[in-house]
Amino acid sequence: MTATKTSNLSQPQRVKGFRNPEASKEGISPLSEKYWYQRYSLFSKYDQGIQMDEEGWFSVTPEEIAIRHAERCAGHEVVIDSFSGVAGNAIQFARKGCHVIAIDIDPAKVALAMNNAKVYGVEEYIDFVVGDFFTLAPPLKGDIVFLSPPWGGPSYKDIQTFTLDLLKPIDGYTLFQVAQAITPNIIMFLPRNINLEQVPELSWLSSPPLELEVELNYVQNHLKGVTLYFGSTVATSPRFSSEYKVFPYEVS
């Protein structure tokens, strides 16, 4: 078990049934309002011009976790963010000095991502691409592929055990193999209720099996997701903290 101590940003408190007038003024829908209360944990520079769409509110990686992912990419030249959304992860990869290829199939989302990268001053380090990752993948070259595919919206939380075949737009095994054709160095961010028994099966798609590390990601003591690290992204000297729990797998 491992990780580093991270700061907890205080969040405005939400009162059930009450619509915050500030959120309403920003055009935040009732569905997204609960995420709006967490806005500074999603983007610490939210007030400096960050733009989001409905899906972005519930799909963007919390900033502390995105920073954690980016730390594993330091020293690598090119990171491919396969489902970049509103650029929560792409921004942090760029802040670590990586060149980022940020891919999203939605041009409106790419426009939001470009804006958000400018807010953080890293737009020159990111190539934004409108397109389908599966179509674009074959000729792509990169040192690390980051996979944070759609989880199916907020309803994923209602599933007791989330399996890899529930990922969108294609099952997790096929997705992993597409990434693996680019590089064995893969970071995969998955729902907190993912079936951990399936995780080693991804390593076994390689021969010999890829080295694997599993990290449970917490923000303010709430489990937000599970990160899988493969290949060179596995930590050589894991760091310990109450904010993360890391399990190195012995893959044979």
Side-chain angles (χ1 to χ4, degrees):
M1 287 187 175
T2 66
T4 49
K5 186 65 181 174
T6 59
S7 61
N8 284 330
L9 297 173
S10 59
Q11 300 295 322
Q13 296 302 305
R14 180 175 178 237
V15 179
K16 227 173 184 180
F18 170 76
R19 288 231 60 202
N20 187 293
E22 187 180 344
S24 299
K25 186 177 179 181
E26 287 186 28
I28 306 300
S29 74
L31 175 66
S32 299
E33 186 170 329
K34 75 172 188 176
Y35 302 102
W36 177 85
Y37 279 91
Q38 304 168 39
R39 60 196 182 279
Y40 299 113
S41 71
L42 303 179
F43 288 101
S44 59
K45 295 190 177 186
Y46 178 83
D47 287 341
Q48 297 179 38
I50 291 295
Q51 296 177 0
M52 305 274 273
D53 62 0
E54 188 90 352
E55 184 180 3
W57 280 109
F58 59 76
S59 64
V60 67
T61 305
E63 188 168 274
E64 288 188 25
I65 299 175
I67 290 171
R68 177 79 173 172
H69 294 158
E71 287 173 348
R72 300 300 185 95
C73 299
H76 291 83
E77 189 174 343
V78 179
V79 177
I80 300 169
D81 188 346
S82 310
F83 305 89
S84 57
V86 294
N89 279 96
I91 287 168
Q92 300 306 327
F93 295 141
R95 293 181 81 188
K96 278 295 178 183
C98 301
H99 179 79
V100 186
I101 301 171
I103 302 169
D104 201 280
I105 201 166
D106 180 358
K109 204 173 257 62
V110 171
L112 297 174
M114 292 174 70
N115 170 81
N116 296 341
K118 288 178 182 177
V119 170
Y120 279 81
V122 294
E123 69 273 20
E124 293 184 4
Y125 298 92
I126 305 174
D127 287 334
F128 290 98
V129 181
V130 177
D132 176 60
F133 171 63
F134 302 102
T135 302
L136 298 171
L140 287 178
K141 305 293 182 186
D143 300 302
I144 293 175
V145 173
F146 176 71
L147 302 172
S148 183
W151 300 349
S155 62
Y156 84 89
K157 299 174 185 174
D158 301 329
I159 301 170
Q160 185 172 359
T161 304
F162 195 100
T163 54
L164 289 170
D165 61 291
L166 295 175
L167 291 172
K168 308 293 182 183
I170 200 167
D171 70 272
Y173 299 102
T174 304
L175 171 61
F176 190 83
Q177 287 179 307
V178 172
Q180 192 182 5
I182 300 171
T183 175
N185 308 318
I186 298 168
I187 300 174
M188 196 171 191
F189 188 49
L190 297 171
R192 62 194 183 192
N193 52 347
I194 191 69
N195 182 354
L196 290 176
E197 292 183 2
Q198 291 185 322
V199 165
E201 296 173 4
L202 295 172
S203 281
W204 300 337
L205 294 173
S206 289
S207 181
L210 293 174
E211 191 174 359
L212 165 65
E213 181 182 344
V214 178
E215 179 178 78
L216 307 185
N217 299 112
Y218 291 80
V219 175
Q220 296 187 325
N221 299 317
H222 295 288
L223 181 61
K224 294 293 186 179
V226 176
T227 303
L228 312 182
Y229 298 100
F230 297 89
S232 69
T233 68
V234 172
T236 53
S237 301
R239 296 169 297 169
F240 291 81
S241 162
S242 60
E243 287 299 304
Y244 298 94
K245 295 181 176 64
V246 177
F247 305 95
Y249 269 82
E250 290 294 331
V251 182
S252 58

